Amino acid sequence: MAADKSVRRVALLTAGGLAPCLSSAVGGLIERYTEVAPDVEIIAYLNGYHGLLSGRYVEVTPEVREKASLLHKFGGSPIGNSRVKLTNTADLVKRGLIAEGQNALQVAAERLVTDGVDVLHTIGGDDTNTTAADLAAYLHEHDYDLTVVGLPKTIDNDVIPIRQSLGAWTAAEQGALFARNIIGEHSSNPRMLIVHEVMGRNCGWLTAATAREYRDWWKQQEWNPGIGLDAAGWDVHAVYVPEETIDLDAEAERLGKVMDEHDCVNIFLSEGAGVESIVAELEARGEEVGRDPFGHVKLDTINPGAWFAKQFAERIGAEKTMVQKSGYFSRSAAANDRDLALIKECTDYAVDAALRGESGVVGHDEERGDELRAIEFPRIAGGKKFDPGVDWFVALKAELSQP
C-alpha cells in the first residue's frame, strides 16, 4: 500500500493506565509503517497527552525501526503514559501543562501543526480515546487537516462498542498466575480469608475472566488430600462483579459453611463491586473521597477489597484476613500470543486507515457484526458492562455453588 502524499509524518502516544499491549502496539505500528510506507516519518510523544502539551517527543530512527520487533516482548510502554484530560482546564493549569486562560485543545492542536504531524495514533482506553475524539472534533472545527486513529486499550474490556480491548486476555491470564501464589496463602493460618482484588472500575469482565483462567489451571492439577494438598483449599469460593448485587448476609452464611468445612475462603472481587455503597458510607461519615482528573473515584483510596474483607471476616469467623491486588502485576505484563495476534490485526488496520485519511478507533465493532473497522469517535464510550448471564460465567458460578 502506498502512502498518500499528504502523509509525511505520524505521531504515536500511549495514555491512561498501563495494559499488556502498549509496547507491542507501538512496535506493531512502527513495523507496519516501515512495511507499507517506509518514507513516512514517525515521532512518539512522551507520557501521552502530557508530552503532547509540553512538546516532548522522540524520533523513531532507522535503528529503532530495525529493532521494533523487540517491543512485542515487553510490557509497560516504551514511550510512557500519564492521565491527562485535555478538557479539564483546572487540572492542566494546576499541573503547569497550560497557562491560565489557554485552551488545551488549541495548545495540543497547534503543537501537532508545529511538529508537522499529519496522523496521530492514540493507544489507550475510553478516556484516552474520548480525549482524542475531543481533539479530533476541535481540529475539524478549526480546519486542521489531521487524521486521528486510536487503538483500544483496557484490561477490563469495557469500551463501547468494541468486542475485545487489546491486552485484556493477557491481564486475565496474568491475574490467574498471580492468584496461584496468593491462594497458596490459605495454608498460612487456620480459618483464613483471602480476597483477591482484580482491577475493573465499572466492568466485571476481568474479574470473571481471571477466575475462569485460574480454575482452568486448577482443574488440570493433581491433588494429594491425605497430606493436606486438597483441591477445595485451592479453589475459588466466590466471584463478585459490579454488575451483580451482593447479598452480604446470604453470602456470609454460604461462605461460613465453606470456612467450617475447608478452613479457608478464597474470593475473587472486582475493585468496582460495591463502590457506591462504600462511597456512601465514607461520605456519610464526613470523609472526602478522592477523585482523578476524569472524575473517577480513586479506588486505591477507598480499598474495596479491605472493605469487603471487613464485612465478611466477622460474619464467617475468619481468624486471619489477607487482601491482595493483582492489577499492577497484570497490567504491566507483556502481551500473550492471543493478544499479540489481535494487536497485529488492529495495528495493521490502523496504519492502513491512517493512510486513507480515515479517523476512528480501530476494533471489532459489536454493533456492526464484529467487523474490524475504524469506529467513529462519537460512538466510543467507556463503562461497557459485563454480561453476568453469559454461558461461561453462569457455568463458573454453578461450579462454585454461588447463587
Side-chain angles (χ1 to χ4, degrees), residues 56-77:
R56 296 179 302 112
Y57 67 82
V58 295
E59 296 183 4
V60 177
T61 64
E63 292 76 19
V64 171
R65 289 177 187 252
E66 185 179 348
K67 294 185 176 182
S69 63
L70 296 177
L71 297 179
H72 299 302
K73 299 180 180 181
F74 290 85
S77 171

Side-chain angles (χ1 to χ4, degrees), residues 378-399:
R379 297 178 53 223
I380 298 295
K384 182 175 74 172
K385 299 296 185 182
F386 169 63
D387 178 7
V390 294
D391 291 345
W392 62 265
F393 188 60
V394 171
L396 172 65
K397 289 178 63 181
E399 292 173 4

Side-chain angles (χ1 to χ4, degrees), residues 34-206:
T34 301
E35 176 188 357
V36 302
D39 294 333
V40 171
E41 296 180 12
I42 306 173
I43 65 171
Y45 287 106
L46 301 176
N47 300 112
Y49 292 112
H50 194 291
L52 175 57
L53 289 174
S54 56
R56 296 179 302 112
Y57 67 82
V58 295
E59 296 183 4
V60 177
T61 64
E63 292 76 19
V64 171
R65 289 177 187 252
E66 185 179 348
K67 294 185 176 182
S69 63
L70 296 177
L71 297 179
H72 299 302
K73 299 180 180 181
F74 290 85
S77 171
I79 55 178
N81 279 33
S82 66
R83 291 191 181 276
V84 172
K85 187 174 180 65
L86 297 186
T87 53
N88 190 338
T89 301
D91 177 67
L92 298 176
V93 171
K94 180 180 178 181
R95 295 165 72 172
L97 292 173
I98 61 172
E100 194 75 50
Q102 282 188 309
N103 180 334
L105 292 172
Q106 181 180 357
V107 172
E110 290 178 352
R111 170 59 60 183
L112 290 164
V113 173
T114 298
D115 293 340
V117 174
D118 302 303
V119 173
L120 175 64
H121 286 285
T122 57
I123 310 165
D126 58 289
D127 288 331
T128 298
N129 286 307
T130 52
T131 297
D134 293 335
L135 180 58
Y138 182 91
L139 290 164
H140 178 74
E141 290 167 7
H142 293 80
D143 298 321
Y144 286 106
D145 184 18
L146 186 137
T147 301
V148 181
V149 183
L151 288 165
K153 167 244 48 159
T154 62
I155 61 173
D156 37 4
N157 196 30
D158 67 343
V159 179
I160 298 170
I162 292 170
R163 185 187 68 197
Q164 186 70 29
S165 298
L166 310 185
W169 282 321
T170 304
E173 179 181 86
Q174 291 294 314
L177 177 62
F178 179 92
R180 295 185 202 177
N181 290 357
I182 295 308
I183 289 183
E185 287 283 342
H186 77 272
S187 60
S188 67
N189 203 79
R191 299 191 71 83
M192 186 74 179
L193 169 62
I194 295 176
V195 177
H196 173 198
E197 185 178 321
V198 183
M199 279 188 170
R201 176 181 300 278
N202 300 306
C203 178
W205 182 91
L206 181 59

Side-chain angles (χ1 to χ4, degrees), residues 360-380:
V361 179
V362 173
H364 293 89
D365 191 337
E366 290 185 306
E367 297 170 3
R368 306 286 171 86
D370 287 338
E371 176 188 357
L372 181 65
R373 54 191 303 273
I375 301 169
E376 299 79 8
F377 279 114
R379 297 178 53 223
I380 298 295

